[in-house]
Amino acid sequence: MIIERLSREHRNVEVLLSILERELEIFDRSGRPDYEVIRAIISYFEVYTEIYHHPQEDLVLAKLEIRDPAAAKKVGSLALEHQKGSQRLRRVAGAIDAVLADREILRDSVDNIIRDFIEHERRHIMMEDRDFFPAALKALEPQDWTEINSALTSCEDPLFSDAAEETFDAVRALILQLEQEAEAERH
Ligand SMILES: [Fe+2]
Ligand SMILES: [Fe+2]
């Protein structure tokens, strides 16, 4: 079930955002965050949201536009929001690269860039959970879901498979493990 999967992914993303926030707090206290964890989270977002999560949402929204244009209008342009999210993510990646390369970058700007990303992602997820998913569940017909499913699988994209889900699970598990190790080292 597509919406169930997308919601589950939102919960996973929320966990990663909290971890990123915790690392950022260490950075703010002039400590050394675990950059391996931060980099892993960035890569996860790069692969997972841009290639896996967003395309599915775009397909669902396209159907909602047909079934319930008013509800779709309330959701707004996901494509634009996703695009802005990618830009924010690239700024995060750039800021972290600059810190690691010892380039001149103000701690304040790094903090702003990462905070801005976390905040927008949370707001975006909240909006989708509140406005988008319930509207889609209500308005889409069984045949719409069948069509979306076959659009996702017909391209035989290995990303849309159980194996892909397992890979994402493994990456998340690795991030959690790294975070726990970093946490243990700090104490
Ligand atoms: Fe989205
Ligand atoms: Fe989403």
Side-chain angles (χ1 to χ4, degrees):
M1 174 56 199
I2 293 167
I3 295 292
E4 261 169 40
R5 195 167 58 207
L6 291 171
S7 306
R8 205 160 55 230
E9 286 163 10
H10 280 179
R11 304 290 81 77
N12 290 328
V13 163
E14 280 170 346
V15 172
L16 296 184
L17 290 174
S18 308
I19 293 176
L20 184 59
E21 194 172 42
R22 209 163 348 147
E23 294 296 337
L24 183 60
E25 277 157 16
I26 293 163
F27 177 83
D28 286 344
R29 293 196 301 267
S30 301
R32 189 181 166 81
D34 191 317
Y35 288 107
E36 210 185 336
V37 169
I38 297 178
R39 293 291 283 269
I41 293 174
I42 293 170
S43 321
Y44 183 84
F45 272 93
E46 280 169 353
V47 176
Y48 149 84
T49 50
E50 305 200 358
I51 305 174
Y52 187 74
H53 188 84
H54 293 164
Q56 298 189 53
E57 290 179 339
D58 294 339
L59 287 172
V60 175
L61 183 64
K63 292 291 183 191
L64 185 62
E65 273 160 4
I66 298 165
R67 298 290 180 194
D68 188 348
K73 209 172 163 206
K74 201 175 165 207
V75 172
S77 173
L78 283 188
L80 185 65
E81 277 210 34
H82 290 159
Q83 202 187 314
K84 285 190 194 157
S86 305
Q87 284 166 1
R88 284 190 195 95
L89 179 65
R90 269 192 288 281
R91 279 203 292 273
V92 169
I96 294 299
D97 284 349
V99 170
L100 289 175
D102 273 328
R103 282 205 301 274
E104 278 292 308
I105 181 163
L106 290 173
R107 287 188 96 85
D108 269 2
S109 355
V110 176
D111 176 75
N112 281 336
I113 287 168
I114 300 179
R115 245 172 238 297
D116 184 58
F117 172 75
I118 294 173
E119 206 177 291
H120 277 89
E121 282 302 309
R122 282 186 176 146
R123 221 180 294 161
H124 178 73
I125 284 175
M126 212 193 292
M127 181 282 289
E128 289 181 338
D129 286 344
R130 187 193 57 212
D131 299 331
F132 180 35
F133 294 169
L137 283 172
K138 208 169 122 199
L140 268 61
E141 302 287 343
Q143 99 193 55
D144 295 329
W145 298 114
T146 311
E147 278 174 33
I148 293 169
N149 264 322
S150 61
L152 290 174
T153 47
S154 69
C155 50
E156 286 188 26
D157 190 328
L159 275 169
F160 299 102
S161 63
D162 289 342
E165 283 226 35
E166 274 168 32
T167 305
F168 288 125
D169 285 345
V171 174
R172 271 194 305 271
L174 176 68
I175 293 170
L176 292 174
Q177 191 198 325
L178 288 172
E179 169 71 2
Q180 273 159 14
E181 283 167 12
E183 194 56 27
E185 259 172 49
R186 278 170 210 142
H187 292 292

